[in-house]
Amino acid sequence: MPSKQKASDPVSHLLGGAVSGLCACIFVQPLDLIKTRLQQQQQAHLAFIKQSGQAGLTIAPLESTIWRTTHNIVKEGSVLSLWRGTVPTIVRNVPGAAMYFTVLNEARTLMARRKVNGLERTDTLSGTSALPKLSNTENLIAGGASRATIGFVMMPATVIKVRYESNLYNYKSMSGAFSSIFRTEGLRGLWAGFGATAMRDAPLAGLYVLFYEQSKAKLGALNASSSYFDVGAPTIHLVSGVAAGFLSTTLTHPFDMLKTRMQLKPAEYKNVFQGARKVLMEEGAIGFLDGILVRTIRKSIHSAITWTVYEEVVRWHLARKADHLA
């Protein structure tokens, strides 16, 4: 049975989070870039409609698709252009993922140590998980609180990443981007869109952990009870990651759309409520789903890679540590 120390070893979770964050952000960066460009093109088209309407011009429909956007990005430079913004993504995701998984583990470990009939209880690791076993409500709270905290700390890197991915800003370096934002918008500019980000990330992370643990538990039980379903832990983590990523991303997408617009055009989208009203008035309810397809695909893949690599790295590190101490 895993010991209390083994279940909450912070070094294992820090290492697992960093490695998983690096693998995931490099692999899915093209999808992140395409999602940002699609949302940016929608904004530009809306501005054109407004100007054309005032001038009495005929307006052609927006022909913005994943394939067309990908083709235009490659045409601007090369295939490597699809990885534009990878450096700020790594700067944000690697320490961000490392801190998130460490904080999440500590939060879950603390929640697992509670009084039951006057006795202290410490939950051990669940059968296929690198995290303590908690209730649905505890998973929701731990995931949401951990993500909101780390999101605030990493917000400046997030703003720079989004602007790097767009073609509205011609930043030559991360330091140049930081200086430009600070000079023109002040500290507030470095946290542009945090409200929408928190409203997206807190429920997203909470729902993700909830769906992930539920899916993993059900697949683990099926694996143990059925002779026709025999797969390893990595496969269970991968499938659970895809399912949880799809469900949680779909439910929280409107806040991601608002977050992107607030970071690209803070003068037009000043806060969550004003931005939401602007989208509703100009585009209708369908506007809140702008970019949902590519983000859902991207997030599902990203989540599957992140959590599968994370769980396996934690298990590998704990096994090495145990062998060293034996």
Side-chain angles (χ1 to χ4, degrees), residues 85-93 154 156-162 164 170-182 190:
T86 299
V87 173
T89 298
I90 291 175
V91 170
R92 183 194 69 160
N93 280 17
M154 301 305 297
T158 302
V159 173
I160 293 173
K161 167 190 171 294
V162 170
Y164 243 98
N170 190 27
Y171 298 137
K172 301 299 183 183
S173 66
M174 289 192 64
S175 60
F178 180 90
S179 300
S180 176
I181 295 171
F182 183 75
L190 293 170

Side-chain angles (χ1 to χ4, degrees), residues 128-129 212-220 236-237 240 311:
T128 60
S129 180
Y212 180 75
E213 291 296 324
Q214 282 291 306
S215 175
K216 196 165 53 175
K218 293 184 182 302
L219 289 175
I236 291 178
H237 298 156
S240 298
E311 297 247 28

Side-chain angles (χ1 to χ4, degrees), residues 70-289:
T70 303
H71 179 267
N72 289 338
I73 293 172
V74 174
K75 188 177 179 180
E76 290 174 5
S78 66
V79 174
L80 293 179
S81 298
L82 292 170
W83 275 266
R84 176 179 169 83
T86 299
V87 173
T89 298
I90 291 175
V91 170
R92 183 194 69 160
N93 280 17
V94 173
M99 289 189 290
Y100 168 69
F101 281 113
T102 304
V103 171
L104 177 62
N105 174 67
E106 292 302 311
R108 287 169 59 107
T109 301
L110 288 173
M111 295 177 78
R113 297 173 189 157
R114 58 187 183 273
K115 297 285 184 178
V116 178
N117 297 327
L119 299 175
E120 184 75 16
R121 190 197 87 193
T122 301
D123 285 350
T124 58
L125 298 176
S126 58
T128 60
S129 180
L131 294 170
K133 184 178 180 181
L134 299 176
S135 68
N136 291 340
T137 301
E138 289 168 332
N139 281 325
L140 195 65
I141 294 173
S146 300
R147 176 58 69 186
T149 301
I150 301 306
F152 179 81
V153 174
M154 301 305 297
M155 197 65 209
T158 302
V159 173
I160 293 173
K161 167 190 171 294
V162 170
R163 294 193 181 183
Y164 243 98
E165 291 172 351
S166 77
N167 55 14
L168 296 177
Y169 301 87
N170 190 27
Y171 298 137
K172 301 299 183 183
S173 66
M174 289 192 64
S175 60
F178 180 90
S179 300
S180 176
I181 295 171
F182 183 75
R183 184 174 59 255
T184 58
E185 303 172 44
L187 279 175
R188 182 187 178 111
L190 293 170
W191 272 267
F194 174 70
T197 301
M199 293 174 72
R200 176 200 68 175
D201 283 355
L204 172 65
L207 289 170
Y208 182 89
V209 175
L210 171 62
F211 292 146
Y212 180 75
E213 291 296 324
Q214 282 291 306
S215 175
K216 196 165 53 175
K218 293 184 182 302
L219 289 175
L222 180 62
N223 198 35
S225 61
S226 174
S227 58
Y228 299 100
F229 188 83
D230 185 16
V231 297
T235 302
I236 291 178
H237 298 156
L238 189 68
V239 174
S240 298
V242 170
F246 176 82
L247 292 172
S248 58
T249 300
T250 301
L251 291 174
T252 60
H253 181 75
F255 295 111
D256 178 79
M257 183 276 301
L258 287 171
K259 183 264 312 180
T260 301
R261 296 196 181 188
M262 290 170 66
Q263 289 172 342
L264 291 178
K265 294 188 176 181
E268 295 184 26
Y269 298 86
K270 298 179 176 62
N271 56 60
V272 176
F273 301 105
Q274 179 269 338
R277 184 175 182 276
K278 180 177 173 65
V279 171
L280 189 62
M281 295 293 291
E282 295 180 354
E283 306 167 55
I286 194 68
F288 291 103
L289 301 181

